[in-house]
Amino acid sequence: MRTVGDFVPLLGPPVRTGEGPLVAQVGAAWSVTFPEDFVAIVGAYGDSAVAERLFLCGARSLRSYAALMGGVLEQAGPVPHRVLPAAGGALLWGNTIDGDQFFLVPRPDGRWTVSAFRRLDAEHWYDSDLEFGDWLHRALTGRVAADWLPRWTALPHRVEPED
């Protein structure tokens, strides 16, 4: 499991302080327990744009983003999951500048793995077997085999908090 410390070389020091519990509260309000690595990493870097290419929701935007995009994506057709706060739904946690939408999908074994709706791809849906911290770390270092992800510049990536 990845920790916030694993992301400091990639994103610089955390841009948020003490927001992990606020992220966990969103999950509790939706009757789910978010994965520990998600809570910690989003608590440190959430509600921010990474290198102007990827937006990472945080405590301030998880609810509003799900309300704004959840229904739209459910009705788009190729998204095979309901979106939280729907019971058993997937967590919509961010997007790329091109409109690709990122999810954490709850699995029967208790893990939450990263999936994505790829807006510009004919196949639309991407599933991984990786949990949030491992997937994000690999994605930010160019080690996820997905040509639709942003091309990254030198490390650390600039993180711009949005309030």
Side-chain angles (χ1 to χ4, degrees), residues 42-68:
V42 168
Y45 295 103
D47 295 311
S48 298
V50 177
E52 298 179 345
R53 293 184 171 102
L54 184 145
F55 180 75
L56 181 62
C57 290
R60 292 168 183 80
S61 62
L62 281 169
R63 285 184 180 103
S64 61
Y65 197 64
L68 175 70

Side-chain angles (χ1 to χ4, degrees), residues 27-97:
W30 289 342
S31 300
V32 297
T33 301
F34 294 147
E36 288 180 35
D37 61 343
F38 177 79
V39 170
I41 295 162
V42 168
Y45 295 103
D47 295 311
S48 298
V50 177
E52 298 179 345
R53 293 184 171 102
L54 184 145
F55 180 75
L56 181 62
C57 290
R60 292 168 183 80
S61 62
L62 281 169
R63 285 184 180 103
S64 61
Y65 197 64
L68 175 70
M69 292 299 297
V72 171
L73 291 168
E74 285 177 1
Q75 294 177 12
V79 176
H81 304 281
R82 302 275 327 265
V83 176
L84 285 171
L91 172 63
L92 181 58
W93 60 263
N95 61 62
T96 67
I97 193 170

Side-chain angles (χ1 to χ4, degrees), residues 65-151:
Y65 197 64
L68 175 70
M69 292 299 297
V72 171
L73 291 168
E74 285 177 1
Q75 294 177 12
V79 176
H81 304 281
R82 302 275 327 265
V83 176
L84 285 171
L91 172 63
L92 181 58
W93 60 263
N95 61 62
T96 67
I97 193 170
D98 293 321
D100 306 302
Q101 304 294 320
F102 296 111
F103 296 84
L104 280 180
V105 177
R107 303 298 180 183
D109 64 3
R111 296 179 318 125
W112 292 66
T113 58
V114 173
S115 294
F117 171 70
R118 301 176 298 179
R119 188 181 68 80
L120 299 176
D121 187 296
E123 294 179 23
H124 299 297
W125 190 253
Y126 160 88
D127 262 324
S128 82
D129 194 40
L130 296 172
E131 294 177 81
F132 178 79
D134 287 336
W135 187 89
L136 185 61
H137 195 276
R138 289 180 187 189
L140 293 174
T141 56
R143 295 183 302 132
V144 169
D147 60 358
W148 49 273
L149 283 172
R151 300 274 187 252

